[in-house]
Amino acid sequence: MIFNPECEAMDQEARRNVQFARLKNLVEKLYAQVPFYRTKFKDMDVTPQDLRSLEDLAALPFTIKSDLRDTYPYGLLAAPHAEIQEIHMSSGTTGVPVVDAYTQKDLDIWGEAMARTLAGAGGTRHDTVQNAYGYGLFTGGLGVHYGAKTLGANIIPMSSGNTQRQLMVMQSFGSTLLTCTPSYALFIAEEAAEAGIDLHQLPISKGCFGAEPWSENMRREIESRYAMKAYDIYGLTEIIGPGVAFECEAQDGLHVNEDLFYPEIIDPLTGKLLPDGEKGELVFTTLTKEGTPLLRYRTRDITYLRRERCACGRTTVKMHRLFGRTDDMLIIRGVNVFPSQIEQALIEIEGTDPHYLIVITRGPSHLDEVELQVEVKQDFFSDETKNLEGLRAKIEGAMKSKLMIAVKVKLVEPKTIERSMGKSQRVLDKREL
Ligand code: DLL
């Protein structure tokens, strides 16, 4: 079901007009009300009058993560303080928080964007949503919560953690839609298996998973452990939280809520706009936001955009599921490697589980050494050592041929790699660089 056909299945040309009108409004507001942006415009010698079409956006300044940090906490506020109803923050990898401040209208729009997201997964007012994203400053919990309310669904505000209770609630209340990080969805499934609960017998039939990288392999694993369809959802605190883009039943790319968040793809090195279909850094401009609107925010997430018609009837542009982040890129002995590539290479190898940890150290010879710890499926583990040795060699071979790096593989028993209730950690970089 399309939650808001008027916006989501709109004629593309008509949508461009809406986007342009909103963009013009935004740029005028930023220039008039946010000194940080006025200075940026002046430094680049541009004014709001230079924006005569959507294409002109490419000449306007970017906003980068350090801008948010430099103006912490309220330097980018574009609404009077009394209008702010709620704040959220994400600590990110460096620990300096990024703030998102929402007016009531922002919260309403968030609810709308997330209702579209849940509907993309087939959610309706008849669903019981078990929301196991963390509630609090993290945007996952409340974002899903507002979306489920707007959709009119029944919502169980579980938050993350307490897995035994998640299972108890799932059984008692017959939850139909699960929302959490994909790694937590797998963890819940493992605990269910251990407790002898057959998830296939429960009504849980769909899930909206995101907030961390995951692969097609993980999707297949989740879908088979529950009798469910698993959908990828994307968002980030700076832009609104979850609700920026989501998969529909086609599970073939994520529809961007582009009447609300205008996407661009740029070359991360030159900042130049790239055409549809070309991979680069995703940039968003918030078209309707009042509290902390952002112009051309560089997400550091890597993907490409596609504009063909989708079977679901939505006309919004689609982004490919993320390939990685510009700042997650590991440079190992001079070779650029993304953790997602390692996962991709693991997919094709039978006998492994999608739980792995990449440990990087710098050896005595000052060369980078990579140990890849991979969990092996139970039945494989109890097998003969000879098979395990074969599996290890196979993974090492795959890494060498696909990623061009030498990796030492350590096969570990099922459930030895630490599980996470929220975003999981896949890389342990012990190099002191
Ligand atoms: O993770 C918002 C969110 C909550 C999205 C719940 C989906 C579900 P942040 O904590 O600010 O916000 O982290 C944002 O997480 O820039 C991506 O690098 C990554 N990320 C988010 N969704 C996905 C996804 C929330 N579906 C950062 N696939 C983003 C891969 C994702 N990475």
Side-chain angles (χ1 to χ4, degrees):
M1 185 200 77
I2 301 181
F3 179 73
N4 184 343
E6 208 183 303
C7 296
E8 296 177 80
M10 187 177 206
D11 170 71
Q12 286 180 337
E13 209 34 55
R15 184 182 291 117
R16 283 177 67 80
N17 292 336
V18 171
Q19 288 171 323
F20 180 63
R22 290 181 172 172
L23 181 63
K24 194 133 188 75
N25 231 328
L26 169 81
V27 168
E28 278 160 12
K29 188 162 82 178
L30 290 178
Y31 193 80
Q33 288 170 25
V34 187
F36 164 85
Y37 276 113
R38 193 161 46 244
T39 309
K40 272 212 171 194
F41 276 59
K42 287 194 168 147
D43 287 350
M44 285 182 73
D45 205 18
V46 285
T47 69
Q49 287 68 46
D50 292 323
L51 187 76
R52 290 185 203 88
S53 70
L54 273 178
E55 284 65 38
D56 293 336
L57 178 60
L60 298 185
F62 290 116
T63 311
I64 55 175
K65 196 155 208 158
S66 60
D67 292 333
L68 306 194
R69 293 186 174 144
D70 295 345
T71 54
Y72 174 84
Y74 274 142
L76 292 178
L77 214 59
H81 194 272
E83 303 267 304
I84 302 303
Q85 300 274 301
E86 192 167 315
I87 63 158
H88 284 272
M89 287 201 310
S90 96
S91 52
T93 39
T94 54
V96 188
V98 158
V99 179
D100 193 352
Y102 305 69
T103 64
Q104 186 55 51
K105 184 178 154 215
D106 294 333
L107 291 173
D108 293 344
I109 286 182
W110 199 11
E112 153 90 24
M114 277 308 296
R116 293 183 192 178
T117 300
L118 297 172
T124 69
R125 54 188 290 275
H126 300 292
D127 275 295
T128 297
V129 179
Q130 179 158 343
N131 185 14
Y133 282 113
Y135 278 67
L137 283 173
F138 176 53
T139 53
L142 282 161
V144 168
H145 192 95
Y146 297 143
K149 274 178 73 145
T150 305
L151 188 64
N154 176 0
I155 174 141
I156 310 179
M158 291 298 295
S159 201
S160 56
N162 205 338
T163 311
Q164 292 308 319
R165 191 189 295 169
Q166 300 275 0
L167 285 167
M168 192 258 288
V169 164
M170 200 177 278
Q171 290 174 294
S172 326
F173 296 94
S175 313
T176 52
L177 199 165
L178 177 64
T179 54
C180 58
T181 56
S183 50
Y184 192 45
L186 274 184
F187 184 55
I188 296 176
E190 283 175 351
E191 294 284 296
E194 210 142 273
I197 300 168
D198 183 359
L199 293 171
H200 291 89
Q201 300 305 319
L202 300 184
I204 194 105
S205 62
K206 46 202 173 279
C208 290
F209 306 117
E212 65 177 5
W214 59 310
S215 61
E216 281 304 313
N217 189 36
M218 261 179 95
R219 189 209 302 270
R220 279 196 292 273
E221 185 80 23
I222 294 171
E223 290 188 335
S224 68
R225 289 192 178 215
Y226 299 76
M228 73 154 57
K229 279 190 90 175
Y231 296 88
D232 192 10
I233 70 171
Y234 167 80
L236 60 163
T237 314
E238 296 90 314
I239 299 304
I240 198 162
V244 176
F246 60 88
E247 278 184 334
C248 63
E249 60 266 25
Q251 293 178 309
D252 174 31
L254 290 82
H255 288 278
V256 179
N257 277 320
E258 59 167 323
D259 54 327
L260 308 173
F261 316 107
Y262 186 81
E264 297 170 277
I265 298 287
I266 61 161
D267 177 328
L269 294 177
T270 63
K272 286 240 159 56
L273 205 61
L274 294 177
D276 286 349
E278 262 185 55
K279 224 195 258 184
E281 181 178 349
L282 183 60
V283 171
F284 277 110
T285 297
T286 62
L287 293 177
T288 57
K289 202 136 162 236
E290 294 183 335
T292 40
L294 293 179
L295 184 68
R296 308 195 79 205
Y297 180 67
R298 293 183 59 161
T299 63
R300 303 184 185 185
D301 289 324
I302 301 167
T303 184
Y304 62 80
L305 298 177
R306 278 158 55 198
R307 251 167 253 273
E308 79 249 358
R309 216 177 178 81
C310 183
C312 72
R314 289 175 184 82
T315 53
T316 41
V317 66
K318 290 208 264 187
M319 59 180 251
H320 191 278
R321 71 168 9 184
L322 292 192
F323 292 100
R325 286 176 60 81
T326 53
D327 51 1
D328 268 357
M329 191 176 75
L330 300 166
I331 304 183
I332 298 170
R333 297 195 181 190
V335 180
N336 298 347
V337 181
F338 288 99
S340 59
Q341 286 176 294
I342 294 188
E343 181 163 332
Q344 203 62 37
L346 275 178
I347 290 178
E348 289 144 32
I349 300 169
E350 218 187 305
T352 61
D353 265 333
H355 299 290
Y356 61 93
L357 183 68
I358 304 161
V359 186
I360 311 165
T361 48
R362 187 150 282 183
S365 52
H366 301 288
L367 285 176
D368 298 334
E369 281 166 12
V370 186
E371 180 182 87
L372 177 63
Q373 301 180 0
V374 185
E375 272 185 26
V376 176
K377 285 197 189 303
Q378 188 66 59
D379 40 350
F380 233 91
F381 217 90
S382 29
D383 238 343
E384 291 167 35
T385 355
K386 164 163 127 275
N387 286 350
L388 280 179
E389 190 42 46
L391 180 61
R392 207 174 62 75
K394 200 164 166 188
I395 300 174
E396 286 183 355
M399 294 298 146
K400 183 102 204 152
S401 68
K402 296 216 165 86
L403 309 179
M404 257 86 89
I405 52 166
V407 165
K408 227 172 85 208
V409 170
K410 182 173 166 196
L411 298 179
V412 297
E413 280 187 56
K415 299 195 79 174
T416 38
I417 290 175
E418 202 187 330
R419 300 295 193 261
S420 142
M421 316 274 173
K423 295 180 190 249
S424 53
Q425 172 113 27
R426 304 282 197 203
V427 182
L428 198 60
D429 197 340
K430 294 181 167 170
R431 291 176 295 184
E432 279 164 21
L433 299 176

